[in-house]
Amino acid sequence: MTVRRDFQEPARCRPDLVIGREDLFAGARDQLASGGSVLLHGPAGIGKSTVLRALAEEYGATVRTVLRCSATESESHLPFLALADLLGLVLDEVSPRLPAAQRTALESALTGRGESSLQRDGLALRLAVLSALRTLAARGTVLVVADDLQWLDPASAELLGFAARRLEGTPVQLLCAVRTEGQESQEYDRHLRACPPDTLAVRLGPLSRTQVADLLDHRGHGRLPRSTVREIHRTSGGNPLFALELGRALADSPTPPRPGEPLPVPTSLRALVLSRLDMLSVEARRTLLVASAGARPTPALLHAAGRENAEAECAQAAELGLLATEPDAPAVRFAHPLISAALYAEAPAHERRAAHAALSTAASDPIERARHLALATTGTDPEVADRLAEAAALARDRGAPSVAAQLGLLAARHTPADGVPGQEERRLTAAEDAITAGEVDLARDIAREVLTRASVPADRVRAWIIVIDTAGHTMAEVDAVFPQALADAGDDPRLLALVHYQLAWRALIVEGDFTEAREAAAHAAELAARGKDRRTELLSLAFQAQTETLMGHPEAPRTIKRALREPQDPRVACHHNGAGSARFRWLVMGDQLTEARATVTALLREVRRRGSVESEVHFLRGLAETELRAGHCGRALELARESLRLARDSGIGETASAMLTSLAEASGGDVDRALALAREAVGHAEEDGDQMYLSRALGALGYAQLVAGDPAGTVRSLRRVRRLELGLGITDPARGRWQGDLAEALVRIGEPAEAQDVIDASREHALRLGRDSVLAVLDRSEALVRAAQGDTEAAFAQLTSAQDRLGKLGYGLEEARAAFALARLRGRRPATGSRTPEAARKAAGAFDEATRMFRRCRALPWLRQVDDVLAIPEQEPALAVPDALDALEVLAAMERQVAALVMEGATNREIAARLFISVKTVEATLTRVYRKLGIRSRVDIVRLAAGRRAR
């Protein structure tokens, strides 16, 4: 393979090269692998060269010859330069095989000797390039890699295009990248026409916020607050080059931007996006500065801010490509968000303040007026601080907690040292708004900064609580905070209530002690009542109620009623740890799915209105869980995925959302994805020391393993859950609903006795608590135990009853699983003789019903299981061998059934399907049969049967 030395890449492609481009990369790679060509296109900085290098490295290793060129704007006037890059190193290899005229023209063009040009030697040169590529291709595939096609010198571009259009049927492929501004741009059309007919055009678009965060993390900027990452994404427009440059500028800046200000834009990007700024008039530039300072600039707003000729000046900027041309849109929109940020960063400080001062009176929205007033003011000013605090409260009421946090920080900045409320109190309020908005990094930074200065106990305790809150399920990492918080609280019941409420959470998450958690919550509620802190009292009662619900404690209904009594606090009513959430959990566990759905839907609607990200993540999961219980697997999967996206974007509740999404994927999506998510959730829970979610995550893993056909894995996972919940004191089987899956998996691996033990222990608690759906699922599992033991009639009756009860309760997926189990039982052939036509008809009808029910649920993985069972071919059984069964009396029930089916001629897979066990269990059972009968293989079992018949 021929590769120019100065274009060689590292031996392995770094994984961050294609962040956010995995699907596009895979499509382009498949296109190359099939023999086609690829044209990557998109705006400057979007990552074309990065993807091109990764593709060239991966695919280039599989071809014989790689030819490369990478043009630059400064060299685009030099004729044949790109052609020299491509063919210079292979000239000696191809020249002897070219006709004399072609060889002379090509050597003249590549070496610079002579006066070769397209005008004089056009045909000879064109044919020479085509012949050279064909000559190389005769020895193996050729990959032509050309970056920045827009800068190719015109002569090279013409020659390469001529050859490319005539290479059909020849193993020569092009991998090119070109800068374009739009899908319909003339540049795109021109370069695509110059490529082979089978070229796949791949446009690279902007990265998502999560992808930008991943990119920054890979490049060493992963410690930036999420609010800053969000602003980088907005300012960069998802352009990876712009995002990295902004991240680097922030990392190098000694002071972060003030709240509400645009990001600092490095000089490199200013030059890139503001190259046309000098062509604007002075007045037009001032108008654009005012527009860049505004949140939603319009011509009317610019007029009100004193820019009398705004329309004409904006039109001038639009002609230069600085503003987007949208005749029907009232807003003034920059062609790229970075232009606005760079323009603002380029302006002197006094001009920026003047722009904000003008907008502080021109803006119609009180929040915008207050923000501009703050950015136009230097130093402290109590009037400005009060206006900002009022604007923050208004933003909070509007459901914009992130805006409220920014305004709160501005209010603290402008609050005098002796102001009331004080600077620290306003900062802490801003931190609490940041938590609501899901910006936990910002909240933690604010709280720790307050702790370095605050001396007032109330401020210090409040800051400690914020530090604990932002730890989430990693509370073990902030253990040292609790003694300090208790010391600062002294004997103040209001402050002590705040700390003991957090201690209740610690007992549950870190220690896994439900009894201690319940007692700590009850104590916190008592302290809060004494201190007349109704909000903390309600949160503590709700926490106590949820703990009692999970424990199966008889006081749970009474505690929920106490938490729902008036007066209520609107901040708690829809909080994810409030009484509404506790009531929802009670309804779900009590099989009241319709009311549970209505409750959680209302809660979700309210938290979205308020902008509470953590609560939104929580209630999205709750609604997904309700839909999953009801058998609406498609809807549940959509909601679960939405919850997971939001959790990962905000960094809140990732473990719980991964766990719930795993359940939804295993029921209605992709089983491999379900397994990966469950293992991720288990890993996070173990790493965080979160005992409560570890059992839930293991339950999800066990279910995914069951659906994936790995009952042994299910047993390993769910046995751990059983031990964990026994230690935690969780007795309500409706909490995780894993008991039926464990029993079914135990049957499949040939452990019916342990399965029955699980069923009996769980049934006792389900009867005590009135968990009807759990009882029906346990009956379904017990029917499988009976079927495995040969009691078919009892299994039929129990499965039929379980299916009917689950349907009436509204558990669609569990009902379908019962129907599937019934179909498999009907589909089993007797140990001797063929199945009667009537039995075959009933079996087919049973499978049709199971298929219909799974399809109604959109339970795709379960539908695939039905297909797998039906794909097992029917075989004519061997002759009846009743005498042979006498020789099997030394075997256990399961062993006898397996041996009898071997005598019929059934394969291991067929036996597994008929007996509801795994193939591995069949193999293990046969090993025990061989040992007990003193034989070596299944052939000996058949011989044993034949010997009995011969007597």
Side-chain angles (χ1 to χ4, degrees):
M1 182 175 70
T2 305
V3 181
R4 280 194 50 180
R5 187 180 305 277
D6 54 334
F7 283 110
Q8 288 180 359
E9 299 291 335
R12 290 181 60 82
C13 173
R14 297 199 317 273
D16 59 320
L17 285 178
V18 291
I19 285 176
R21 311 293 191 196
E22 292 80 6
D23 291 343
L24 294 178
F25 184 88
R29 180 179 55 203
D30 292 345
Q31 170 74 0
L32 291 171
S34 66
S37 297
V38 173
L39 175 65
L40 305 169
H41 66 106
I46 204 66
K48 303 179 298 297
S49 298
T50 297
V51 176
L52 179 136
R53 285 195 298 270
L55 284 167
E57 178 184 339
E58 181 172 314
Y59 183 67
T62 68
V63 303
R64 182 182 183 277
T65 305
V66 178
L67 307 175
R68 299 176 185 264
C69 70
S70 183
T72 62
E73 184 177 12
S74 61
E75 298 173 341
S76 60
H77 65 286
L78 300 173
F80 306 121
L81 182 62
L83 189 65
D85 283 341
L86 288 171
L87 298 178
L89 293 180
V90 296
L91 183 59
D92 292 342
E93 182 180 350
V94 300
S95 285
R97 293 172 174 78
L98 300 181
Q102 294 180 23
R103 180 170 62 251
T104 300
L106 184 61
E107 289 177 348
S108 176
L110 296 186
T111 62
R113 295 190 296 270
E115 298 294 329
S116 181
S117 69
L118 278 180
Q119 286 74 25
R120 197 181 73 179
D121 302 317
L123 180 58
L125 266 176
R126 287 174 172 84
L127 293 175
V129 172
L130 180 60
S131 298
L133 291 174
R134 285 175 172 166
T135 298
L136 292 171
R139 300 183 176 183
T141 301
V142 177
L143 179 65
V144 177
V145 182
D147 198 5
D148 284 318
L149 284 182
Q150 73 277 3
W151 303 132
L152 252 65
D153 62 275
S156 296
E158 167 62 24
L159 292 170
L160 186 60
F162 175 87
R165 291 190 294 270
R166 291 163 174 80
L167 286 170
E168 189 172 0
T170 305
V172 178
Q173 299 170 257
L174 268 65
L175 172 58
C176 306
V178 63
R179 181 185 301 178
T180 58
E181 293 304 322
Q183 181 78 29
E184 305 302 325
S185 68
Q186 293 180 353
E187 294 91 343
Y188 165 73
D189 290 338
R190 177 167 59 86
H191 288 293
L192 187 59
R193 286 195 299 271
C195 291
D198 61 350
T199 298
L200 172 68
V202 178
R203 177 166 178 79
L204 276 67
L207 299 179
S208 69
R209 189 195 313 175
T210 302
Q211 290 164 347
V212 165
D214 290 342
L215 180 64
L216 291 168
D217 184 50
H218 274 77
R219 298 301 175 87
H221 306 306
R223 295 186 177 181
L224 293 170
R226 291 182 185 274
S227 56
T228 303
V229 173
R230 185 177 62 240
E231 189 61 22
I232 288 175
H233 177 258
R234 188 197 66 80
T235 303
S236 68
N239 184 296
L241 172 65
F242 297 171
L244 286 171
E245 289 298 312
L246 290 168
R248 188 175 295 115
L250 281 167
D252 295 341
S253 176
T255 56
R258 295 169 63 188
E261 282 188 341
L263 297 176
V265 180
T267 305
S268 58
L269 290 186
R270 293 188 204 181
L272 179 64
V273 300
L274 297 180
S275 57
R276 289 157 287 186
L277 197 62
D278 292 339
M279 301 173 68
L280 284 175
S281 66
V282 174
E283 291 303 311
R285 187 165 178 160
R286 287 175 179 165
T287 295
L288 287 194
L289 175 60
V290 175
S292 71
R296 293 174 297 276
T298 62
L301 178 65
L302 296 176
H303 273 292
R307 308 310 304 164
E308 297 178 356
N309 298 315
E311 286 89 349
E313 289 157 355
C314 287
Q316 182 186 358
E319 289 178 3
L320 295 172
L322 294 167
L323 294 180
T325 305
E326 296 180 356
D328 298 331
V332 175
R333 189 171 68 83
F334 285 88
H336 192 283
L338 191 61
I339 296 175
S340 173
L343 183 66
Y344 186 92
E346 190 83 359
H350 70 276
E351 290 187 11
R352 293 202 295 261
R353 287 196 296 273
H356 286 297
L359 289 167
S360 68
T361 57
S364 58
D365 185 82
I367 293 177
E368 275 299 292
R369 289 199 301 270
R371 184 179 75 88
H372 289 302
L373 180 61
L375 295 174
T377 305
T378 57
T380 59
D381 186 320
E383 183 180 347
V384 172
D386 289 343
R387 284 185 59 182
L388 284 164
E390 292 169 3
L394 181 58
R396 196 176 303 119
D397 290 341
R398 287 182 181 178
S402 180
V403 175
Q406 286 190 2
L407 293 168
L409 289 174
L410 285 171
R413 184 188 294 269
H414 290 287
T415 299
D418 57 351
V420 178
Q423 294 177 351
E424 309 306 345
E425 186 176 347
R426 281 179 165 157
R427 285 192 180 93
L428 290 169
T429 301
E432 289 163 352
D433 284 328
I435 290 177
T436 302
E439 298 174 8
V440 293
D441 296 335
L442 174 61
R444 185 187 303 112
D445 291 344
I446 294 171
R448 293 202 177 277
E449 183 184 352
V450 168
L451 286 166
T452 62
R453 293 190 302 263
S455 57
V456 177
D459 289 344
R460 291 188 62 80
V461 171
R462 196 172 164 194
W464 288 125
I465 297 302
I466 290 170
V467 171
I468 295 168
D469 269 343
T470 56
H473 284 263
T474 60
M475 291 186 82
E477 297 179 3
V478 294
D479 259 354
V481 165
F482 289 99
Q484 299 176 71
L486 286 169
D488 283 330
D491 57 1
D492 186 329
R494 289 177 65 91
L495 300 181
L496 285 170
L498 292 171
V499 182
H500 280 277
Y501 173 66
Q502 296 294 341
L503 283 168
W505 277 104
R506 183 193 175 281
L508 185 62
I509 292 174
V510 179
E511 301 297 335
D513 190 329
F514 275 70
T515 301
E516 183 183 341
R518 175 179 177 269
E519 291 172 356
H523 185 46
E526 179 188 343
L527 287 168
R530 270 200 280 146
K532 294 182 169 46
D533 180 359
R534 183 61 173 161
R535 179 175 186 272
T536 303
E537 181 187 7
L538 290 170
L539 284 170
S540 301
L541 286 170
F543 179 83
Q544 181 184 344
Q546 293 221 43
T547 306
E548 290 172 347
T549 297
L550 296 175
M551 294 171 68
H553 198 284
E555 287 293 314
R558 191 175 307 167
T559 307
I560 291 175
K561 288 180 181 178
R562 286 178 61 199
L564 289 170
R565 284 178 193 157
E566 297 293 341
Q568 286 290 312
D569 184 315
R571 294 173 296 172
V572 178
C574 64
H575 193 275
H576 57 280
N577 290 324
S581 180
R583 181 172 178 271
F584 161 71
R585 179 55 49 196
W586 176 259
L587 291 169
V588 168
M589 294 176 69
D591 299 328
Q592 299 178 59
L593 295 183
T594 301
E595 193 172 352
R597 183 187 292 109
T599 299
V600 74
T601 300
L603 289 167
L604 180 60
R605 186 185 306 117
E606 180 61 19
V607 298
R608 279 175 166 166
R609 188 189 71 79
R610 291 175 175 271
S612 177
V613 174
E614 184 171 8
S615 292
E616 182 178 357
V617 171
H618 181 89
F619 291 131
L620 275 170
R621 286 199 305 269
L623 184 53
E625 180 184 354
T626 307
E627 298 293 1
L628 198 57
R629 298 284 173 232
H632 305 151
C633 298
R635 174 64 174 150
L637 185 56
E638 292 172 3
L639 291 163
R641 286 174 174 172
E642 184 181 354
S643 167
L644 184 58
R645 282 194 298 270
L646 187 57
R648 286 185 166 158
D649 193 33
S650 62
I652 295 174
E654 292 183 74
T655 300
S657 292
M659 176 274 298
L660 195 281
T661 308
S662 171
L663 290 172
E665 291 281 1
S667 298
D670 182 272
V671 180
D672 290 336
R673 174 76 172 149
L675 290 166
L677 286 169
R679 291 187 176 111
E680 174 190 327
V682 169
H684 285 321
E686 289 177 331
E687 183 182 343
D688 297 342
D690 186 343
Q691 297 297 304
M692 183 174 65
Y693 268 111
L694 178 57
S695 67
R696 296 292 304 275
L698 284 167
L701 178 58
Y703 174 65
Q705 289 167 323
L706 183 69
V707 179
D710 179 16
T714 297
V715 169
R716 286 193 300 272
S717 298
L718 298 187
R719 276 175 177 164
R720 282 188 68 189
V721 177
R722 193 181 187 192
R723 291 193 298 270
L724 274 170
E725 293 202 352
L726 186 64
L728 291 169
I730 298 174
T731 61
D732 193 335
R735 186 248 184 180
R737 297 178 182 267
W738 49 265
Q739 297 82 2
D741 292 335
L742 175 55
E744 181 173 337
L746 285 165
V747 171
R748 291 193 187 187
I749 67 167
E751 297 290 348
E754 185 182 347
Q756 190 63 53
D757 178 64
V758 171
I759 292 166
D760 292 341
S762 304
R763 182 179 281 136
E764 179 183 349
H765 293 298
L767 284 168
R768 174 174 59 86
L769 297 167
R771 303 302 192 221
D772 291 339
S773 63
V774 174
L775 288 168
V777 168
L778 292 174
D779 279 355
R780 184 187 70 202
S781 302
E782 189 171 51
L784 301 182
V785 174
R786 290 180 170 177
Q789 293 172 339
D791 192 353
T792 307
E793 292 305 317
F796 270 128
Q798 201 164 17
L799 278 174
T800 304
S801 171
Q803 178 183 342
D804 181 61
R805 286 148 55 205
L806 288 166
K808 289 177 179 176
L809 289 168
Y811 283 77
L813 181 58
E814 299 292 357
E815 179 191 8
R817 287 180 62 180
F820 183 33
L822 199 56
R824 294 178 71 179
L825 190 59
R826 289 191 183 279
R828 289 172 58 181
R829 293 194 298 276
T832 60
S834 300
R835 192 165 51 215
T836 66
E838 177 64 17
R841 186 186 63 77
K842 287 183 177 180
F847 277 112
D848 287 344
E849 181 182 10
T851 299
R852 177 184 58 78
M853 295 173 74
F854 280 136
R855 188 173 289 122
R856 182 183 64 193
C857 293
R858 288 181 59 188
L860 302 182
W862 287 102
L863 277 170
R864 284 191 284 272
Q865 287 205 23
V866 177
D867 290 341
D868 289 344
V869 172
L870 292 175
I872 298 173
E874 288 279 354
Q875 293 184 358
E876 286 299 320
L879 295 174
V881 286
D883 292 341
L885 297 179
D886 296 339
L888 308 182
E889 291 179 355
V890 296
L891 304 179
M894 174 71 75
E895 294 165 351
R896 282 200 303 273
Q897 290 184 76
V898 170
L901 289 169
V902 169
M903 292 178 184
E904 289 185 18
T907 65
N908 286 2
R909 185 183 174 197
E910 291 169 339
I911 295 170
R914 294 185 213 175
L915 297 183
F916 302 94
I917 59 178
S918 68
V919 173
K920 288 184 178 179
T921 302
V922 174
E923 293 168 351
T925 304
L926 281 174
T927 300
R928 294 195 298 271
V929 168
Y930 302 154
R931 185 174 63 251
K932 289 183 179 181
L933 297 181
I935 59 179
R936 295 184 178 181
S937 71
R938 59 190 294 131
V939 174
D940 292 332
I941 296 179
V942 176
R943 286 174 179 165
L944 176 64
R948 298 289 294 180
R949 285 197 301 270
R951 290 183 184 178

